[in-house]
Structure formats: structure tokens, C-alpha cells
Amino acid sequence: MNTNTNIRAKLLISCLDRPGIVSTVSTFLHQYKANIVQSDQYSTDPSGGMFFMRIEFDLFEDSYEFNIVRQAFSEIASSFDMDWSMELASRRKKMAIFVSKEDHCLLELLWKWRAGELMVDIPLVISNHINLKDDVEAYGIPFFHIPVNKANKEEAEREAISMLHKYDVDFIVLARYMQILSPDFVGTFPKKVINIHHSFLPAFIGANPYAKAFERGVKLIGATAHYVTNDLDEGPIIEQDILRVNHRYTTEQLRVAGRNVERIALSRAVTWHANDQIIVHGNKTVIF
């Protein structure tokens, strides 16, 4: 076969585990002349647990169109009561970035995007401060300043939501955006807002984690990337990373080391989300 005519697609599935799921899905793809190039699966318990699956497959120009295959799969999904998604691998998700004053996570994402390591489009960056406007616009990305205070918070969120809809954004990354999002905002983008928390959750929830870590004399510091829910800092964890420290580290040295860990954990989480490698189930994630 001429690989130049391949159309790569990705299928994510979650449902109650029972016999015949893998066979049925494989048979379906075979009927539509698809070639499975990668398949991963996981069951919490083969006897009535939850089943998760991710498949990458190729369609060919001389067989069936992608939209026909996706529409036909809905019958299979209904028969197993699946939560599922099927996307073209070539479709680049539109990622909005929210940021405040700290630039390390923002610049990490922008650098990876420009280097071609993060396969997304970034139609806009929104900030409640003006500080990083020049940095963002140097990458040719529109920067929007939406100030937030106690008096205008609801109005500011409505403005941000309107802009996200205008740019048809697929998901949002909070790159050290130091505002708590309202339930209305979170409910508008369920499982589509990724936050980086500047500590190894569930330890040191809230503000000033490095001061708290210093006071406790910790030997490890970390960062946690997670989906945002209405429970502060308790959404499904996507990625965590740690760095060993010792008694010689000051609060500021802990903060500097922590920024390095934050960049790594966030960029991994964003990459996995952009590549359709994550399935959210309850307050946990399955990552293939």
C-alpha cells in the first residue's frame, strides 16, 4: 500500500468491561478496510470493571471516508454503552493559554509549539495582567488583557468565555493563571481545562506551597498537572513530577527548582491531551 494515502485516526473508548469488546471493534475496523497500527487497553477488573481502549488506525483513500466510519461506529458504541471519541490525527486542537505574571510555564509551551514539539494551534493568550504581552506577541500570537478583580470577576469570565467561543478553542491551559475559575466557567469547558499546581498534590494545597515546604523541611518538591473541577486543586491528576532537595535549599531556591518541575509536568500533560492519550474516569485519568 502507498503510505502517502493513509488517513490516520484515533479512537478512545471507555465502558463497562465485558466479553467481545475488542473483537467487535477490531471486526468493525476490518469491515471498513482500516489497518490498526497501535492498540492499548486496560481493565480495572475483567469481571465487571471499567474497560479503556485507545486505537490508532489508518484508512485509505480508495476505501471509506473518515466521517462515514465515525458515524457508523456510533451503533457499536451504543450497543456497549460506550463513552468514546474518534478524531483525525491530522486535526490540530486549538489551545488557549491563560497566564498571570509568571512566565516560565507559558514560555515552555510557546517554545515547544514553535519548535514543532507541541502539535496544536494557539489562537490566543488571555491574561489578567499586561506583563507578558510583548513575550506572547513576539511569537505572533494575539494577547488579550482581561483584568480581574472582585467587582468584575463574573463579567471578566463572560468576556473570556465569549472569546474562547469566538476562536473555537478546544481546550485551555492555565499556565500559572492565579485566579480561581467559577463553576460556570468550569462547567462550560468540562475536562478541557488543564492547570499546573505548584506542589505535589495532595500536599500543600493553596497558596505559598514553597514556604510551607520550607517550613516542613521537605526532601522532595514536585508539581501536579490536573484537570480543573469545582473542587479546588482536586481535579483528575494527569501528570506529576518531583525533584530531590535538602536542608540547604532556601524558600527562593525551592521556588526556582519548583518552576523547572512545573514546566516539565505541564508540558507533558498538554502533549498527552493534544494527542488524545487521556481518558478521564471519575476523578482519575487513564493515560495511554
Side-chain angles (χ1 to χ4, degrees), residues 96 98 123-126 142-146 156-169 189:
F98 280 44
L124 77 165
V125 171
I126 292 176
F143 178 94
F144 295 96
H145 177 218
I146 303 180
E157 282 198 347
R158 283 200 303 267
E159 181 180 353
I161 290 172
S162 177
M163 297 189 68
L164 295 171
H165 286 319
K166 175 183 176 181
Y167 283 90
D168 196 24
V169 165
F189 304 98

PDB file of all heavy atoms in Angstrom, residues 96 98 123-126 142-146 156-169 189:
ATOM      1  N   ALA A  96      -6.006  27.483  24.037  1.00  0.00           N
ATOM      2  CA  ALA A  96      -5.869  28.821  24.618  1.00  0.00           C
ATOM      3  C   ALA A  96      -5.021  28.717  25.877  1.00  0.00           C
ATOM      4  O   ALA A  96      -5.072  27.714  26.597  1.00  0.00           O
ATOM      5  CB  ALA A  96      -7.234  29.403  24.948  1.00  0.00           C
ATOM      6  N   PHE A  98      -4.054  30.682  29.490  1.00  0.00           N
ATOM      7  CA  PHE A  98      -4.324  31.728  30.471  1.00  0.00           C
ATOM      8  C   PHE A  98      -3.076  31.870  31.337  1.00  0.00           C
ATOM      9  O   PHE A  98      -2.495  30.870  31.778  1.00  0.00           O
ATOM     10  CB  PHE A  98      -5.520  31.357  31.363  1.00  0.00           C
ATOM     11  CG  PHE A  98      -6.864  31.600  30.742  1.00  0.00           C
ATOM     12  CD1 PHE A  98      -7.128  31.253  29.431  1.00  0.00           C
ATOM     13  CD2 PHE A  98      -7.890  32.156  31.488  1.00  0.00           C
ATOM     14  CE1 PHE A  98      -8.372  31.460  28.861  1.00  0.00           C
ATOM     15  CE2 PHE A  98      -9.144  32.377  30.939  1.00  0.00           C
ATOM     16  CZ  PHE A  98      -9.390  32.032  29.614  1.00  0.00           C
ATOM     17  N   PRO A 123      -4.516  30.059  19.212  1.00  0.00           N
ATOM     18  CA  PRO A 123      -5.143  31.245  18.629  1.00  0.00           C
ATOM     19  C   PRO A 123      -5.097  32.476  19.520  1.00  0.00           C
ATOM     20  O   PRO A 123      -5.228  33.597  19.032  1.00  0.00           O
ATOM     21  CB  PRO A 123      -6.593  30.799  18.389  1.00  0.00           C
ATOM     22  CG  PRO A 123      -6.827  29.719  19.401  1.00  0.00           C
ATOM     23  CD  PRO A 123      -5.510  29.024  19.561  1.00  0.00           C
ATOM     24  N   LEU A 124      -4.901  32.285  20.830  1.00  0.00           N
ATOM     25  CA  LEU A 124      -4.872  33.447  21.720  1.00  0.00           C
ATOM     26  C   LEU A 124      -4.304  33.082  23.083  1.00  0.00           C
ATOM     27  O   LEU A 124      -4.321  31.916  23.494  1.00  0.00           O
ATOM     28  CB  LEU A 124      -6.262  34.041  21.903  1.00  0.00           C
ATOM     29  CG  LEU A 124      -7.260  33.343  22.838  1.00  0.00           C
ATOM     30  CD1 LEU A 124      -8.422  34.265  23.183  1.00  0.00           C
ATOM     31  CD2 LEU A 124      -7.792  32.059  22.219  1.00  0.00           C
ATOM     32  N   VAL A 125      -3.798  34.118  23.752  1.00  0.00           N
ATOM     33  CA  VAL A 125      -3.390  34.041  25.153  1.00  0.00           C
ATOM     34  C   VAL A 125      -4.165  35.113  25.901  1.00  0.00           C
ATOM     35  O   VAL A 125      -4.259  36.260  25.453  1.00  0.00           O
ATOM     36  CB  VAL A 125      -1.877  34.255  25.319  1.00  0.00           C
ATOM     37  CG1 VAL A 125      -1.512  34.383  26.800  1.00  0.00           C
ATOM     38  CG2 VAL A 125      -1.091  33.120  24.674  1.00  0.00           C
ATOM     39  N   ILE A 126      -4.738  34.734  27.035  1.00  0.00           N
ATOM     40  CA  ILE A 126      -5.506  35.663  27.871  1.00  0.00           C
ATOM     41  C   ILE A 126      -4.792  35.830  29.203  1.00  0.00           C
ATOM     42  O   ILE A 126      -4.330  34.853  29.794  1.00  0.00           O
ATOM     43  CB  ILE A 126      -6.942  35.143  28.093  1.00  0.00           C
ATOM     44  CG1 ILE A 126      -7.726  35.175  26.780  1.00  0.00           C
ATOM     45  CG2 ILE A 126      -7.666  35.969  29.156  1.00  0.00           C
ATOM     46  CD1 ILE A 126      -9.129  34.587  26.880  1.00  0.00           C
ATOM     47  N   PRO A 142      -1.997  36.449  19.268  1.00  0.00           N
ATOM     48  CA  PRO A 142      -2.760  37.543  19.873  1.00  0.00           C
ATOM     49  C   PRO A 142      -2.805  37.430  21.395  1.00  0.00           C
ATOM     50  O   PRO A 142      -3.020  36.346  21.946  1.00  0.00           O
ATOM     51  CB  PRO A 142      -4.159  37.374  19.270  1.00  0.00           C
ATOM     52  CG  PRO A 142      -3.947  36.625  17.993  1.00  0.00           C
ATOM     53  CD  PRO A 142      -2.797  35.697  18.269  1.00  0.00           C
ATOM     54  N   PHE A 143      -2.614  38.563  22.053  1.00  0.00           N
ATOM     55  CA  PHE A 143      -2.629  38.645  23.515  1.00  0.00           C
ATOM     56  C   PHE A 143      -3.796  39.525  23.939  1.00  0.00           C
ATOM     57  O   PHE A 143      -3.974  40.636  23.431  1.00  0.00           O
ATOM     58  CB  PHE A 143      -1.313  39.244  24.014  1.00  0.00           C
ATOM     59  CG  PHE A 143      -1.234  39.427  25.505  1.00  0.00           C
ATOM     60  CD1 PHE A 143      -0.663  38.442  26.307  1.00  0.00           C
ATOM     61  CD2 PHE A 143      -1.709  40.585  26.115  1.00  0.00           C
ATOM     62  CE1 PHE A 143      -0.563  38.611  27.683  1.00  0.00           C
ATOM     63  CE2 PHE A 143      -1.621  40.759  27.484  1.00  0.00           C
ATOM     64  CZ  PHE A 143      -1.048  39.762  28.270  1.00  0.00           C
ATOM     65  N   PHE A 144      -4.609  39.017  24.867  1.00  0.00           N
ATOM     66  CA  PHE A 144      -5.762  39.777  25.320  1.00  0.00           C
ATOM     67  C   PHE A 144      -5.676  39.980  26.828  1.00  0.00           C
ATOM     68  O   PHE A 144      -5.538  39.020  27.591  1.00  0.00           O
ATOM     69  CB  PHE A 144      -7.060  39.057  24.956  1.00  0.00           C
ATOM     70  CG  PHE A 144      -7.280  38.947  23.475  1.00  0.00           C
ATOM     71  CD1 PHE A 144      -6.904  37.802  22.794  1.00  0.00           C
ATOM     72  CD2 PHE A 144      -7.850  39.992  22.767  1.00  0.00           C
ATOM     73  CE1 PHE A 144      -7.090  37.692  21.430  1.00  0.00           C
ATOM     74  CE2 PHE A 144      -8.046  39.899  21.398  1.00  0.00           C
ATOM     75  CZ  PHE A 144      -7.665  38.751  20.728  1.00  0.00           C
ATOM     76  N   HIS A 145      -5.763  41.234  27.227  1.00  0.00           N
ATOM     77  CA  HIS A 145      -5.695  41.587  28.645  1.00  0.00           C
ATOM     78  C   HIS A 145      -7.108  41.736  29.180  1.00  0.00           C
ATOM     79  O   HIS A 145      -7.868  42.598  28.739  1.00  0.00           O
ATOM     80  CB  HIS A 145      -4.918  42.900  28.814  1.00  0.00           C
ATOM     81  CG  HIS A 145      -4.848  43.380  30.212  1.00  0.00           C
ATOM     82  ND1 HIS A 145      -4.926  44.721  30.561  1.00  0.00           N
ATOM     83  CD2 HIS A 145      -4.718  42.704  31.386  1.00  0.00           C
ATOM     84  CE1 HIS A 145      -4.839  44.835  31.877  1.00  0.00           C
ATOM     85  NE2 HIS A 145      -4.700  43.635  32.391  1.00  0.00           N
ATOM     86  N   ILE A 146      -7.490  40.860  30.102  1.00  0.00           N
ATOM     87  CA  ILE A 146      -8.806  40.933  30.745  1.00  0.00           C
ATOM     88  C   ILE A 146      -8.566  41.055  32.248  1.00  0.00           C
ATOM     89  O   ILE A 146      -8.360  40.048  32.940  1.00  0.00           O
ATOM     90  CB  ILE A 146      -9.672  39.697  30.435  1.00  0.00           C
ATOM     91  CG1 ILE A 146      -9.834  39.528  28.920  1.00  0.00           C
ATOM     92  CG2 ILE A 146     -11.031  39.815  31.109  1.00  0.00           C
ATOM     93  CD1 ILE A 146     -10.674  38.319  28.523  1.00  0.00           C
ATOM     94  N   ALA A 156     -15.678  39.535  33.704  1.00  0.00           N
ATOM     95  CA  ALA A 156     -14.420  39.157  33.057  1.00  0.00           C
ATOM     96  C   ALA A 156     -14.485  37.730  32.526  1.00  0.00           C
ATOM     97  O   ALA A 156     -13.999  37.438  31.426  1.00  0.00           O
ATOM     98  CB  ALA A 156     -13.265  39.310  34.048  1.00  0.00           C
ATOM     99  N   GLU A 157     -15.088  36.832  33.300  1.00  0.00           N
ATOM    100  CA  GLU A 157     -15.215  35.450  32.841  1.00  0.00           C
ATOM    101  C   GLU A 157     -16.132  35.353  31.626  1.00  0.00           C
ATOM    102  O   GLU A 157     -15.859  34.587  30.700  1.00  0.00           O
ATOM    103  CB  GLU A 157     -15.721  34.552  33.975  1.00  0.00           C
ATOM    104  CG  GLU A 157     -14.661  34.181  34.978  1.00  0.00           C
ATOM    105  CD  GLU A 157     -15.060  32.978  35.810  1.00  0.00           C
ATOM    106  OE1 GLU A 157     -16.249  32.583  35.772  1.00  0.00           O
ATOM    107  OE2 GLU A 157     -14.182  32.421  36.504  1.00  0.00           O
ATOM    108  N   ARG A 158     -17.205  36.120  31.623  1.00  0.00           N
ATOM    109  CA  ARG A 158     -18.096  36.110  30.461  1.00  0.00           C
ATOM    110  C   ARG A 158     -17.359  36.587  29.213  1.00  0.00           C
ATOM    111  O   ARG A 158     -17.530  36.030  28.125  1.00  0.00           O
ATOM    112  CB  ARG A 158     -19.320  36.988  30.716  1.00  0.00           C
ATOM    113  CG  ARG A 158     -20.367  36.371  31.622  1.00  0.00           C
ATOM    114  CD  ARG A 158     -21.720  37.049  31.456  1.00  0.00           C
ATOM    115  NE  ARG A 158     -21.636  38.483  31.709  1.00  0.00           N
ATOM    116  CZ  ARG A 158     -21.875  39.044  32.889  1.00  0.00           C
ATOM    117  NH1 ARG A 158     -22.196  38.276  33.929  1.00  0.00           N
ATOM    118  NH2 ARG A 158     -21.801  40.355  33.049  1.00  0.00           N
ATOM    119  N   GLU A 159     -16.524  37.611  29.376  1.00  0.00           N
ATOM    120  CA  GLU A 159     -15.738  38.113  28.243  1.00  0.00           C
ATOM    121  C   GLU A 159     -14.760  37.047  27.757  1.00  0.00           C
ATOM    122  O   GLU A 159     -14.615  36.825  26.548  1.00  0.00           O
ATOM    123  CB  GLU A 159     -14.976  39.374  28.646  1.00  0.00           C
ATOM    124  CG  GLU A 159     -14.163  39.973  27.507  1.00  0.00           C
ATOM    125  CD  GLU A 159     -13.402  41.230  27.928  1.00  0.00           C
ATOM    126  OE1 GLU A 159     -13.617  41.706  29.065  1.00  0.00           O
ATOM    127  OE2 GLU A 159     -12.591  41.715  27.116  1.00  0.00           O
ATOM    128  N   ALA A 160     -14.108  36.362  28.694  1.00  0.00           N
ATOM    129  CA  ALA A 160     -13.157  35.314  28.317  1.00  0.00           C
ATOM    130  C   ALA A 160     -13.863  34.161  27.608  1.00  0.00           C
ATOM    131  O   ALA A 160     -13.380  33.656  26.583  1.00  0.00           O
ATOM    132  CB  ALA A 160     -12.417  34.809  29.555  1.00  0.00           C
ATOM    133  N   ILE A 161     -14.997  33.739  28.138  1.00  0.00           N
ATOM    134  CA  ILE A 161     -15.749  32.640  27.518  1.00  0.00           C
ATOM    135  C   ILE A 161     -16.174  33.021  26.108  1.00  0.00           C
ATOM    136  O   ILE A 161     -16.084  32.211  25.175  1.00  0.00           O
ATOM    137  CB  ILE A 161     -16.973  32.277  28.385  1.00  0.00           C
ATOM    138  CG1 ILE A 161     -16.519  31.606  29.685  1.00  0.00           C
ATOM    139  CG2 ILE A 161     -17.928  31.358  27.619  1.00  0.00           C
ATOM    140  CD1 ILE A 161     -17.645  31.393  30.683  1.00  0.00           C
ATOM    141  N   SER A 162     -16.620  34.259  25.938  1.00  0.00           N
ATOM    142  CA  SER A 162     -17.027  34.718  24.612  1.00  0.00           C
ATOM    143  C   SER A 162     -15.867  34.651  23.627  1.00  0.00           C
ATOM    144  O   SER A 162     -16.032  34.215  22.474  1.00  0.00           O
ATOM    145  CB  SER A 162     -17.551  36.155  24.705  1.00  0.00           C
ATOM    146  OG  SER A 162     -17.878  36.654  23.418  1.00  0.00           O
ATOM    147  N   MET A 163     -14.692  35.031  24.066  1.00  0.00           N
ATOM    148  CA  MET A 163     -13.520  34.997  23.182  1.00  0.00           C
ATOM    149  C   MET A 163     -13.118  33.561  22.868  1.00  0.00           C
ATOM    150  O   MET A 163     -12.721  33.252  21.740  1.00  0.00           O
ATOM    151  CB  MET A 163     -12.361  35.750  23.828  1.00  0.00           C
ATOM    152  CG  MET A 163     -12.637  37.221  24.032  1.00  0.00           C
ATOM    153  SD  MET A 163     -11.172  38.120  24.535  1.00  0.00           S
ATOM    154  CE  MET A 163     -10.206  38.006  23.060  1.00  0.00           C
ATOM    155  N   LEU A 164     -13.212  32.682  23.844  1.00  0.00           N
ATOM    156  CA  LEU A 164     -12.861  31.278  23.615  1.00  0.00           C
ATOM    157  C   LEU A 164     -13.804  30.649  22.590  1.00  0.00           C
ATOM    158  O   LEU A 164     -13.372  29.870  21.731  1.00  0.00           O
ATOM    159  CB  LEU A 164     -12.899  30.509  24.930  1.00  0.00           C
ATOM    160  CG  LEU A 164     -11.853  30.935  25.978  1.00  0.00           C
ATOM    161  CD1 LEU A 164     -12.136  30.262  27.305  1.00  0.00           C
ATOM    162  CD2 LEU A 164     -10.442  30.618  25.494  1.00  0.00           C
ATOM    163  N   HIS A 165     -15.074  30.991  22.665  1.00  0.00           N
ATOM    164  CA  HIS A 165     -16.028  30.504  21.669  1.00  0.00           C
ATOM    165  C   HIS A 165     -15.746  31.125  20.300  1.00  0.00           C
ATOM    166  O   HIS A 165     -15.845  30.456  19.276  1.00  0.00           O
ATOM    167  CB  HIS A 165     -17.455  30.817  22.107  1.00  0.00           C
ATOM    168  CG  HIS A 165     -17.955  29.944  23.231  1.00  0.00           C
ATOM    169  ND1 HIS A 165     -17.696  28.587  23.291  1.00  0.00           N
ATOM    170  CD2 HIS A 165     -18.706  30.240  24.323  1.00  0.00           C
ATOM    171  CE1 HIS A 165     -18.270  28.083  24.370  1.00  0.00           C
ATOM    172  NE2 HIS A 165     -18.880  29.067  25.018  1.00  0.00           N
ATOM    173  N   LYS A 166     -15.408  32.387  20.288  1.00  0.00           N
ATOM    174  CA  LYS A 166     -15.123  33.082  19.027  1.00  0.00           C
ATOM    175  C   LYS A 166     -13.968  32.408  18.282  1.00  0.00           C
ATOM    176  O   LYS A 166     -14.001  32.257  17.060  1.00  0.00           O
ATOM    177  CB  LYS A 166     -14.773  34.543  19.311  1.00  0.00           C
ATOM    178  CG  LYS A 166     -14.344  35.326  18.079  1.00  0.00           C
ATOM    179  CD  LYS A 166     -13.953  36.747  18.447  1.00  0.00           C
ATOM    180  CE  LYS A 166     -13.417  37.504  17.225  1.00  0.00           C
ATOM    181  NZ  LYS A 166     -13.004  38.895  17.585  1.00  0.00           N
ATOM    182  N   TYR A 167     -12.945  31.987  19.026  1.00  0.00           N
ATOM    183  CA  TYR A 167     -11.781  31.353  18.417  1.00  0.00           C
ATOM    184  C   TYR A 167     -11.921  29.829  18.341  1.00  0.00           C
ATOM    185  O   TYR A 167     -10.977  29.143  17.963  1.00  0.00           O
ATOM    186  CB  TYR A 167     -10.511  31.726  19.189  1.00  0.00           C
ATOM    187  CG  TYR A 167     -10.020  33.125  18.893  1.00  0.00           C
ATOM    188  CD1 TYR A 167     -10.462  34.212  19.642  1.00  0.00           C
ATOM    189  CD2 TYR A 167      -9.124  33.373  17.851  1.00  0.00           C
ATOM    190  CE1 TYR A 167     -10.022  35.498  19.377  1.00  0.00           C
ATOM    191  CE2 TYR A 167      -8.671  34.654  17.582  1.00  0.00           C
ATOM    192  CZ  TYR A 167      -9.119  35.711  18.343  1.00  0.00           C
ATOM    193  OH  TYR A 167      -8.681  36.989  18.071  1.00  0.00           O
ATOM    194  N   ASP A 168     -13.096  29.325  18.706  1.00  0.00           N
ATOM    195  CA  ASP A 168     -13.394  27.892  18.595  1.00  0.00           C
ATOM    196  C   ASP A 168     -12.338  27.046  19.290  1.00  0.00           C
ATOM    197  O   ASP A 168     -11.812  26.068  18.740  1.00  0.00           O
ATOM    198  CB  ASP A 168     -13.495  27.506  17.112  1.00  0.00           C
ATOM    199  CG  ASP A 168     -14.173  26.161  16.910  1.00  0.00           C
ATOM    200  OD1 ASP A 168     -14.937  25.752  17.802  1.00  0.00           O
ATOM    201  OD2 ASP A 168     -13.924  25.513  15.867  1.00  0.00           O
ATOM    202  N   VAL A 169     -12.035  27.417  20.522  1.00  0.00           N
ATOM    203  CA  VAL A 169     -10.973  26.756  21.292  1.00  0.00           C
ATOM    204  C   VAL A 169     -11.407  25.364  21.730  1.00  0.00           C
ATOM    205  O   VAL A 169     -12.545  25.152  22.149  1.00  0.00           O
ATOM    206  CB  VAL A 169     -10.605  27.631  22.510  1.00  0.00           C
ATOM    207  CG1 VAL A 169      -9.787  26.847  23.527  1.00  0.00           C
ATOM    208  CG2 VAL A 169      -9.848  28.873  22.048  1.00  0.00           C
ATOM    209  N   PHE A 189     -16.519  24.292  30.047  1.00  0.00           N
ATOM    210  CA  PHE A 189     -15.431  23.551  29.400  1.00  0.00           C
ATOM    211  C   PHE A 189     -15.046  22.328  30.241  1.00  0.00           C
ATOM    212  O   PHE A 189     -13.930  22.232  30.747  1.00  0.00           O
ATOM    213  CB  PHE A 189     -14.207  24.459  29.205  1.00  0.00           C
ATOM    214  CG  PHE A 189     -14.500  25.709  28.426  1.00  0.00           C
ATOM    215  CD1 PHE A 189     -14.741  26.906  29.082  1.00  0.00           C
ATOM    216  CD2 PHE A 189     -14.554  25.685  27.044  1.00  0.00           C
ATOM    217  CE1 PHE A 189     -15.016  28.067  28.373  1.00  0.00           C
ATOM    218  CE2 PHE A 189     -14.825  26.833  26.318  1.00  0.00           C
ATOM    219  CZ  PHE A 189     -15.063  28.024  26.979  1.00  0.00           C
TER     220      PHE A 189
END
